[in-house]
Amino acid sequence: MNVYDSGTILSDLSILGYKLTDNVKKADLVIINTCTIREKAEQKAFSFLGRMADLKNKKPGLMIAIGGCLAQQEAKNILKRVPFVDIVFGTNVLGRLPALIRQAEKTGETAIDVDMSGKSRSALTIHAKKTPITDYVTIMRGCDNYCTYCVVPYVRGRETSRLPEDVVNEIKIRVKKGMKEVTLLGQNVNSYGKKEGLSSFSELLAMANDIEGLQRIRFTTSHPKDLSLNLIHAFRDLEKLCNHIHLPIQSGSNKILKKMNRKYTREAYLEKIGSLRSVKPDIAITTDMIVGFPGEAESEFAETLDLMKTIEFDGLFAFAYSDRQLAPASSFNDKLEEGVKKERLLKLLDLQKEYTRRKNKAFINKIVTVLVEGPSKKNNSDKPNAISQDLQWTGRTPENKIVNFTLDRTDLSCNDHLLGKLINVRIEKALSNSLKGTPVTDIKGEITYAA
Ligand code: 5AD
Ligand code: SF4
């Protein structure tokens, strides 16, 4: 969501004449778009702000803006801790940022706007000339679920869905500008439109599936309690919908799930996985897991490990529970020691490593369809000015596995036509977080495209 919001900000500021720089020392304006989902994210934001203080000392005209969830939650505290900040803007006022910048420039005083009362910005104005091959489009904002560990409902507000026609229009505009793959974004996409009586999420997916020129659709994040049969069937019926679902479970223990206010049981989750796999046996399933939730007994953590053995996830984002002041769990008893949380986290990650390795290895010798996203980062970091004989490119399979492949051409421009194309790649090697392969060529040595 923050990445998407940053895109919106960038797009708005380009009208004011601002351009993006990759060297922070050259910047006239630095915007820090913060996240407070976990303690670490918050610490990172404050430590970055500390670095900005040095920069501002050296360059007094530099403007610093802080936005996002931390700004929403801690506006007063921010002013105390980092008084040099010029602008503080909340999650609901993105559209007013250009005016806030002008106000701070004019008055020389900190401009603050963390008003949550208005309707959050929904329609996006798109000014950027180039759109990435794969990008996010938000379909809803906020969350009404109130999981007890989570700060999102308090810093992002109530759940509101965008109109389906707005979403479809935005995708169409982006496709015209070069986007090939869209990830529909929301805290809980499965409840899209319910409150407002709009189209359902599976209907929205069907509309996106009809958009000419769009090649792939993904979505994130789904709440297991709202994963409907219609959505499960969409994986079977919509050819553009990728073969992957991210379905955060958070814990394998019913007692902990209840304390988390997740509103589903381990059994209900397993049943939904069963339905997904009966429709799409090879669907990639990834999840989020929290270890060390207040009161989590060793036996309850063992239930989580056991669930992982039953499901064999393709990938896992695992976190040690951290207190979020606004979230109810922060006042629960039976907090676990940091050492215990860390130990459990390592155990969990260690177990997952084996499944990820196994799942990745299963791709060896298979031909997969890769949407080419661009040269891989490795090219740039190694020798930035050298045009390498073996140029590494990167893309993803429908299962969201990163595939790096090499093209032995010296001319960069002759590879450019591959950007945004679906090509066939034979997988040769499975690494811990990616696959390596070679594009399949025809008898003339030309790369073959997927239909
Ligand atoms: N502590 C640890 N992890 C958390 N998450 C959300 N809140 C917390 C918290 N207080 C994790 C959940 C969620 C992911 C985005 O972050 O797993 O799915
Ligand atoms: Fe947070 Fe739960 Fe909402 Fe996800 S569903 S954003 S974890 S409250």
Side-chain angles (χ1 to χ4, degrees):
M1 194 59 89
N2 280 46
V3 171
Y4 179 83
D5 284 349
S6 294
T8 309
I9 292 169
L10 209 61
S11 161
D12 284 351
L13 293 194
S14 69
I15 315 173
L16 296 188
Y18 281 100
K19 281 198 203 108
L20 196 64
T21 172
D22 51 13
N23 181 353
V24 76
K25 286 185 186 146
K26 284 191 185 162
D28 300 308
L29 168 67
V30 174
I31 301 172
I32 305 141
N33 190 9
T34 60
C35 169
T36 48
I37 189 82
R38 293 174 298 273
E39 196 179 4
K40 211 165 165 188
E42 192 172 319
Q43 285 164 353
K44 270 190 192 167
F46 275 118
S47 91
F48 188 80
L49 272 167
R51 294 215 300 279
M52 288 303 100
D54 295 341
L55 210 61
K56 184 130 177 158
N57 276 338
K58 287 186 195 130
K59 191 175 173 182
L62 173 69
M63 302 261 290
I64 311 266
I66 177 157
C69 300
L70 184 64
Q72 189 65 55
Q73 183 191 300
E74 303 270 346
K76 277 194 199 125
N77 205 6
I78 287 170
L79 290 181
K80 256 192 246 148
R81 279 178 74 165
V82 280
F84 60 84
V85 163
D86 299 282
I87 298 139
V88 179
F89 64 104
T91 52
N92 243 20
V93 296
L94 288 192
R96 295 206 285 272
L97 182 59
L100 285 170
I101 294 172
R102 280 195 210 101
Q103 184 188 325
E105 274 170 352
K106 229 200 258 158
T107 62
E109 299 198 349
T110 309
I112 307 167
D113 192 346
V114 287
D115 183 16
M116 283 258 269
S117 59
K119 202 171 179 303
S120 57
R121 178 123 183 248
S122 57
L124 177 74
T125 39
I126 305 157
H127 307 287
K129 287 198 180 69
K130 239 173 100 189
T131 297
I133 298 301
T134 166
D135 210 353
Y136 296 110
V137 166
T138 198
I139 64 167
M140 61 208 296
R141 288 181 172 276
C143 182
D144 289 347
N145 285 312
Y146 293 98
C147 303
T148 53
Y149 51 80
C150 186
V151 74
V152 168
Y154 309 95
V155 289
R156 290 236 171 224
R158 296 287 58 72
E159 187 179 293
T160 37
S161 296
R162 290 178 71 187
L163 293 172
E165 51 268 36
D166 287 353
V167 173
V168 169
N169 272 340
E170 184 178 336
I171 302 173
K172 281 185 181 164
I173 294 170
R174 284 172 179 251
V175 167
K176 268 202 193 120
K177 293 189 177 209
M179 180 176 74
K180 304 285 180 198
E181 178 185 273
V182 69
T183 301
L184 302 178
L185 195 61
Q187 308 296 346
N188 176 15
V189 292
N190 301 349
S191 64
Y192 170 81
K194 265 189 199 160
K195 221 160 94 172
E196 293 87 351
L198 304 171
S199 318
S200 69
F201 182 55
S202 30
E203 285 164 346
L204 184 70
L205 282 174
M207 289 179 219
N209 196 64
D210 287 341
I211 295 175
E212 215 175 300
L214 182 68
Q215 286 176 330
R216 282 181 172 180
I217 306 167
R218 301 183 186 278
F219 59 83
T220 197
T221 289
S222 303
H223 195 305
K225 80 175 162 63
D226 297 314
L227 180 67
S228 67
L229 211 55
N230 280 345
L231 183 55
I232 292 174
H233 289 160
F235 281 101
R236 180 194 59 199
D237 301 335
L238 304 178
E239 72 283 0
K240 292 181 187 174
L241 186 58
C242 285
N243 198 19
H244 167 228
I245 186 163
H246 184 65
L247 198 61
I249 182 163
Q250 314 295 2
S251 168
S253 148
N254 281 341
K255 194 188 116 197
I256 297 297
L257 286 172
K258 191 144 198 238
K259 271 183 96 175
M260 287 176 164
N261 192 29
R262 291 291 288 176
K263 300 191 185 94
Y264 54 84
T265 58
R266 169 196 178 99
E267 291 75 24
Y269 186 91
L270 281 168
E271 205 182 305
K272 294 205 172 171
I273 297 293
S275 306
L276 278 164
R277 284 183 169 156
S278 72
V279 165
K280 277 258 167 175
D282 56 352
I283 190 166
I285 301 169
T286 54
T287 200
D288 289 353
M289 207 73 98
I290 297 177
V291 299
F293 189 76
E296 184 190 67
E298 195 60 48
S299 59
E300 284 145 10
F301 174 61
E303 287 182 67
T304 294
L305 294 178
D306 179 72
L307 178 110
M308 286 177 58
K309 288 176 194 159
T310 310
I311 294 182
E312 303 193 359
F313 291 107
D314 286 71
L316 169 79
F317 296 101
F319 312 102
Y321 167 81
S322 60
D323 271 341
R324 306 285 66 218
Q325 219 181 12
L326 297 172
S330 65
S331 56
F332 285 6
N333 296 326
D334 313 326
K335 298 272 169 62
L336 270 65
E337 280 173 25
E338 288 305 316
V340 175
K341 290 195 257 178
K342 215 172 188 177
E343 203 180 289
R344 290 184 186 172
L345 185 63
L346 290 177
K347 230 183 208 170
L348 196 75
L349 292 171
D350 219 41
L351 177 63
Q352 180 55 40
K353 225 189 242 168
E354 178 54 27
Y355 295 123
T356 309
R357 200 183 62 91
R358 224 190 279 168
K359 297 255 170 178
N360 284 354
K361 263 186 128 177
F363 281 93
I364 293 178
N365 289 329
K366 286 204 174 130
I367 294 173
V368 297
T369 308
V370 172
L371 176 64
V372 183
E373 290 175 27
S376 88
K377 277 191 196 139
K378 205 166 157 234
N379 291 320
N380 309 327
S381 55
D382 282 1
K383 290 175 200 140
N385 297 320
I387 298 179
S388 148
Q389 270 298 117
D390 298 328
L391 195 63
Q392 275 236 34
W393 282 68
T394 192
R396 279 163 207 262
T397 70
E399 292 76 19
N400 213 25
K401 310 273 179 202
I402 296 170
V403 177
N404 293 312
F405 55 95
T406 303
L407 294 171
D408 62 345
R409 307 255 177 113
T410 47
D411 181 5
L412 272 171
S413 62
C414 97
N415 289 320
D416 269 352
H417 72 278
L418 278 183
L419 209 61
K421 295 276 169 20
L422 290 169
I423 65 165
N424 298 313
V425 177
R426 186 187 306 279
I427 300 303
E428 284 141 3
K429 212 170 165 186
L431 305 169
S432 50
N433 289 314
S434 63
L435 304 169
K436 247 184 136 172
T438 303
V440 178
T441 48
D442 61 16
I443 37 174
K444 284 191 252 154
E446 298 293 331
I447 282 172
T448 59
Y449 296 103

